[in-house]
């Protein structure tokens, strides 16, 4: 694949860096936007979707593309840094054309699109030229669309295949594979840009733990939309994979009947943590805390404490501190004694008991404390997490700074875009 051939295959370009002519990196290629001109004409490439710093996806017109090579893409001119919004006649190749079932015009059957060639025409336009298709019939059922009967792969010209109904069920194997390296927040950004139909299809394709991570990064209405599209058993499993506070926030968006039905299907221990959070008034420390921070006995050594904070599933905010309590060590614990910051753990010898190095000056917050009080304490003491206790002095959880930000930012913060264009502006269109 090279620029000299004037043809590239889109799947091989995904994730490539996009540069301006001076060598400054603009971002990373995430998709190609094409304009469908009907079955008798090649679809034209109109632009690229580029993920720029700040994890925002913007539109770069094809008229700005100077070169597309195996290792990089070079664009010229100013780029509009407003968030990309798909228009009615536009199609996203990776999000919407990959994994689509197509029929061969010679009557030899059907297959699934795995890659598409993009060729530069003599007039300088880019058009979809070839389709790399895996032959085979769907095995039946929506989730089975990815499991095609065995068939070889063929490269055919654009006019040798016929697209089916856009509303027909479509798998998302290629899309999920192409975006496997994305962090959950970035994958959620890609989901948010899709149509309702495609969003549900891609979400259904994800593994339960991956779907749980991505759901936590979506706006409330899209979380509800996806969870409601799953069968009840799978929805319960996904809720179990979510952080308890995020699962509780999502369940709060459902009616009481749905809430209870899902809680009944969850594992009892997982459901118990979520039920506790649901009991608190909204915007209190208890409603936004995680009920499973790192809790240790005073006799625990520094070495053991460090082993706990190294666990991969522990978020950086929670790993910043451990909480020391009398048994029982599951929340609600015995008497809360104090916290130990990770810096202290790094300064003391491995055999030192954590009970000897407690920060007892920092008062915990009550579980009924308002979010404003929690915010002030985090800011005043430059903390990333705070212990939360009940009126009996038992630790019931911890509030992290990201929990607070989720509650104090505007509801549309995940999708809000400002009008500031760092590199100038050209219109999308």
């Amino acid at each position: 694949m090279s620029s000299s051939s004037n043809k590239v295959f889109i799947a091989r370009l995904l994730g490539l860096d996009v540069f301006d002519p001076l060598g400054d990196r603009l971002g990373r290629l995430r998709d190609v936007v094409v304009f469908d001109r009907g079955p008798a004409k090649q679809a034209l490439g109109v632009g690229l979707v580029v993920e720029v710093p700040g994890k925002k996806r913007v539109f770069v017109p094809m008229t700005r593309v100077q070169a597309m090579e195996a290792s990089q893409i070079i664009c010229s001119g100013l780029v509009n840094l407003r968030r990309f919004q798909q228009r009615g006649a536009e199609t996203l190749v990776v999000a919407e054309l990959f994994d689509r079932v197509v029929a061969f015009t010679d009557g030899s059957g059907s297959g699934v699109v795995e890659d598409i060639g993009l060729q530069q025409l003599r007039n300088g336009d880019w058009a979809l030229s070839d389709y790399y298709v895996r032959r085979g019939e769907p095995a039946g059922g929506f989730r089975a669309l990815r499991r095609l009967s065995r068939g070889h792969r063929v490269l055919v010209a654009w006019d040798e295949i016929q697209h089916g109904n856009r509303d027909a069920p479509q798998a998302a194997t290629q899309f999920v594979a192409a975006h496997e390296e994305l962090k959950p927040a970035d994958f959620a950004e890609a989901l948010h840009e899709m149509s309702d139909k495609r969003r549900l299809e891609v979400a259904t394709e994800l593994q339960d733990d991956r779907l749980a991570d991505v759901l936590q990064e979506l706006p409330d209405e899209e979380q509800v939309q996806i969870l409601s599209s799953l069968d009840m058993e799978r929805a319960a499993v996904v809720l179990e994979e979510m952080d308890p506070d995020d699962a509780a926030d999502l369940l709060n968006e459902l009616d009481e009947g749905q809430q209870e039905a899902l809680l009944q299907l969850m594992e009892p221990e997982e459901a118990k943590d979520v039920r506790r959070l649901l009991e608190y008034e909204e915007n209190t420390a208890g409603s936004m805390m995680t009920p499973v921070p790192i809790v240790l006995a005073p006799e625990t050594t520094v070495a053991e404490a460090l082993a706990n904070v190294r666990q991969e599933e522990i978020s950086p905010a929670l790993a910043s501190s451990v909480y020391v309590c009398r048994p029982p060590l599951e929340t609600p614990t015995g008497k809360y004694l104090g916290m130990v910051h990770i810096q202290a753990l790094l300064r003391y010898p491995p055999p030192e008991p954590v009970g000897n190095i407690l920060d007892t000056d920092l008062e915990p917050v009550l579980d009924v404390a308002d979010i404003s009080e929690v915010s002030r304490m985090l800011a005043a003491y430059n903390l990333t997490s705070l212990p939360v206790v009940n009126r009996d002095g038992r630790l019931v959880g911890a509030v992290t700074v990201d929990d607070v930000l989720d509650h104090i930012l505007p509801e549309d913060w995940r999708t809000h875009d400002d009008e500031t264009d760092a590199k100038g502006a050209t219109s999308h269109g």
Side-chain angles (χ1 to χ4, degrees):
M1 182 185 66
S2 68
S3 59
S4 60
S5 69
N6 292 324
K7 182 187 290 187
V8 293
F9 281 89
I10 293 170
R12 303 177 195 177
L13 296 177
L14 295 178
L16 284 185
D17 286 331
V18 180
F19 296 92
D20 67 17
L22 297 178
D24 292 330
R25 183 178 177 275
L26 297 176
R28 183 168 292 176
L29 180 69
R30 289 304 180 193
D31 215 325
V32 175
V33 185
V34 297
F35 180 80
D36 187 355
R37 300 188 293 169
K41 294 183 178 180
Q42 288 175 274
L44 289 181
V46 295
L48 309 178
V49 178
V50 177
E51 182 184 282
V52 298
K55 304 302 182 182
K56 183 166 63 175
R57 294 179 175 225
V58 303
F59 179 81
V60 177
M62 277 299 193
T63 52
R64 302 291 187 190
V65 177
Q66 288 189 339
M68 286 196 281
E69 303 172 354
S71 60
Q72 65 182 7
I73 298 168
I74 300 175
C75 296
S76 64
L78 301 175
V79 175
N80 186 337
L81 292 188
R82 290 189 180 91
R83 193 179 302 276
F84 167 72
Q85 289 187 321
Q86 188 176 357
R87 295 177 176 178
E90 295 173 344
T91 300
L92 292 168
V93 172
V94 181
E96 298 178 277
L97 293 185
F98 283 10
D99 295 304
R100 181 174 289 186
V101 177
V102 294
F104 296 101
T105 55
D106 64 3
S108 62
S110 62
V112 170
V113 177
E114 292 192 345
D115 200 355
I116 296 178
L118 188 65
Q119 186 170 26
Q120 191 168 28
L121 307 178
R122 289 181 179 179
N123 65 0
D125 290 340
W126 290 84
L128 298 191
S129 58
D130 305 276
Y131 284 72
Y132 187 61
V133 181
R134 179 175 50 171
R135 283 188 178 273
E137 296 292 337
F142 171 67
R143 295 198 71 189
L145 279 174
R146 59 181 145 172
R147 300 190 297 273
L148 295 177
S149 56
R150 292 188 178 182
H152 62 284
R153 291 163 172 81
V154 292
L155 185 66
V156 295
W158 66 273
D159 55 357
E160 294 180 64
I161 56 100
Q162 183 176 4
H163 291 270
N165 186 345
R166 293 174 67 99
D167 296 328
Q170 183 179 345
T173 310
Q174 297 299 314
F175 182 88
V176 170
H179 294 77
E180 187 176 12
E181 88 288 357
L182 285 188
K183 293 185 181 297
D186 302 330
F187 198 102
E189 173 76 13
L191 273 187
H192 174 71
E193 293 168 355
M194 295 178 183
S195 66
D196 290 350
K197 170 184 176 291
R198 195 63 181 137
R199 185 183 304 117
L200 296 179
E201 289 169 344
V202 173
T204 302
E205 194 87 19
L206 298 175
Q207 296 294 322
D208 294 336
D209 56 345
R210 175 69 160 167
L211 178 54
D213 290 340
V214 170
L215 270 182
Q216 294 173 172
E217 305 296 337
L218 283 168
D220 292 346
E221 64 273 15
E222 290 172 15
Q223 291 187 32
V224 172
Q225 176 200 46
I226 291 171
L227 192 75
S228 300
S229 74
L230 307 176
D231 63 68
M232 293 290 284
E233 287 77 13
R234 189 180 183 209
V237 171
V238 171
L239 286 167
E240 291 169 1
E241 294 284 351
M242 295 175 72
D243 294 335
D245 53 324
D246 288 303
D249 287 342
L250 176 47
L251 285 172
N252 259 327
E253 300 294 322
L254 307 178
D255 62 52
E256 290 186 8
Q258 289 175 297
Q259 270 189 33
E260 187 55 35
L262 287 166
L263 287 166
Q264 289 288 348
L265 289 170
M266 292 173 66
E267 290 293 327
E269 282 301 309
E270 303 285 349
K272 182 179 71 173
D273 288 335
V274 176
R275 286 183 188 276
R276 282 174 46 209
L277 296 175
L278 289 171
E279 291 174 359
Y280 288 103
E281 292 290 331
E282 190 174 359
N283 290 329
T284 60
S287 71
M288 70 183 79
M289 69 183 180
T290 174
V292 284
I294 301 173
V295 183
L296 304 174
E299 300 82 18
T300 305
T301 65
V302 164
E304 291 170 319
L306 286 171
N308 273 275
V309 301
R310 287 193 194 103
Q311 296 177 70
E312 185 178 352
E313 64 271 20
I314 303 296
S315 71
L318 277 180
S320 65
S321 304
V322 298
Y323 303 96
V324 181
C325 305
R326 297 291 182 196
L329 299 182
E330 290 188 1
T331 56
T333 66
K335 182 183 178 182
Y336 171 72
L337 301 177
M339 66 190 297
V340 181
H341 305 284
I342 191 170
Q343 293 95 329
L345 294 176
L346 295 172
R347 287 196 295 264
Y348 281 84
E352 188 75 24
V354 293
N356 292 350
I357 55 175
L358 295 177
D359 179 353
T360 55
D361 294 332
L362 180 69
E363 291 291 326
V365 295
L366 282 174
D367 50 3
V368 294
D370 186 80
I371 187 173
S372 58
E373 180 182 345
V374 177
S375 303
R376 282 195 298 270
M377 288 193 66
L378 285 168
Y381 297 101
N382 297 316
L383 298 172
T384 56
S385 66
L386 272 177
V388 181
V389 297
N390 61 21
R391 295 193 184 279
D392 297 324
R394 298 172 180 267
L395 187 77
V396 291
V399 174
T400 62
V401 66
D402 53 315
D403 294 329
V404 173
L405 286 173
D406 275 345
H407 284 76
I408 63 176
L409 287 170
E411 288 188 9
D412 65 344
W413 72 267
R414 287 186 171 91
T415 56
H416 177 74
D417 192 23
D418 57 38
E419 297 299 318
T420 302
D421 291 339
K423 285 188 175 286
T426 64
S427 64
H428 167 192

